[in-house]
Amino acid sequence: MPFSLWITLLIACLVISFTPGAGAINTMGNSLNHGFRRSIWGILGQQAALVIHIAIVALGVGVLVASSEFAFNVIRYAGAAYLVYLGIRQMLAKPTLPADDDDETDASGRALAATSESRWSMFRRGLWVNLLNPKAIVFFLAFLPQFIRPGEPLWVQYLIVTVTVITVDIAVMWGFFAAAAHGFRRFTRTARGQRTLNLVFGGLFIAVALLLAFVH
């Protein structure tokens, strides 16, 4: 891949990653509820979904999803329903006051978070948040071919694209959205603050679900 083309890809990835969406909301919620460091597990789950999306497009399955209204709608409404579920669960979550220390871990390495969700659970939730988004497949279907040259080895090009997309998204999610949310952790020290944040982020999940379901 020519360096100038890769720079274009890098800039495009930055713009895409900084665009707020369900992944950004999930990352910020994880950072608030579980701490900045532990939020990486949800981010890694989201990246696993992006790898699957890219593989789907590379294998040509994305064309089938994009061309089949039924398949697109099934995934779209399933994704919207899952986001509504996450939103309601967030809004109904009971406040649990964290330890006084602001660090994410104690001397034993245990997380000092408002809840005790496991790393695997956070990873799995991040995976489904990004995976159940058919528009991501359609987007990559339109996006990736711009940076692929048929006359050159395809697997090398897809590898470069995948590494670039994942690296940029992790940097933006963890370095920007998770870090920004971490600054609001002082609100999680009171039950009232936690309820407010739960309502806000739960509402954001539901808002994204409505956009996914009704905006074409």
Side-chain angles (χ1 to χ4, degrees), residues 75-96:
I75 302 176
R76 177 160 64 100
Y77 290 123
Y82 184 65
L83 291 178
V84 169
Y85 161 74
L86 291 180
I88 293 175
R89 190 179 74 167
Q90 184 83 27
M91 295 172 78
L92 297 179
K94 294 181 179 180
T96 305

Side-chain angles (χ1 to χ4, degrees), residues 6-92:
W6 181 80
I7 290 296
T8 304
L9 171 65
L10 180 64
I11 295 173
C13 288
L14 283 169
V15 173
I16 295 165
S17 294
F18 273 111
T19 303
I25 296 170
N26 186 59
T27 297
M28 295 179 74
N30 282 337
S31 183
L32 281 167
N33 293 321
H34 308 291
F36 172 74
R37 282 178 242 168
R38 282 175 62 87
S39 67
I40 189 62
W41 294 101
I43 294 171
L44 292 177
Q46 293 169 197
Q47 305 318 305
L50 292 183
V51 172
I52 294 173
H53 280 312
I54 293 174
I56 287 174
V57 172
L59 293 173
V61 181
V63 177
L64 298 178
V65 175
S67 60
S68 172
E69 183 177 357
F70 176 77
F72 183 87
N73 285 333
V74 166
I75 302 176
R76 177 160 64 100
Y77 290 123
Y82 184 65
L83 291 178
V84 169
Y85 161 74
L86 291 180
I88 293 175
R89 190 179 74 167
Q90 184 83 27
M91 295 172 78
L92 297 179

Side-chain angles (χ1 to χ4, degrees), residues 53-54 56-68 134-148 158:
H53 280 312
I54 293 174
I56 287 174
V57 172
L59 293 173
V61 181
V63 177
L64 298 178
V65 175
S67 60
S68 172
K135 292 189 177 181
I137 299 178
V138 176
F139 172 78
F140 277 121
L141 189 63
F143 175 74
L144 292 185
Q146 312 301 321
F147 303 95
I148 302 298
Y158 275 112

Side-chain angles (χ1 to χ4, degrees), residues 179-216:
H182 186 68
F184 291 97
R185 289 202 75 200
R186 63 183 182 276
F187 293 108
T188 66
R189 295 186 177 278
T190 65
R192 181 178 181 182
Q194 286 186 32
R195 281 193 293 267
T196 300
L197 290 174
N198 286 339
L199 288 174
V200 169
F201 279 89
L204 288 174
F205 268 122
I206 294 174
V208 173
L210 293 176
L211 289 174
L212 182 63
F214 299 113
V215 177
H216 300 274

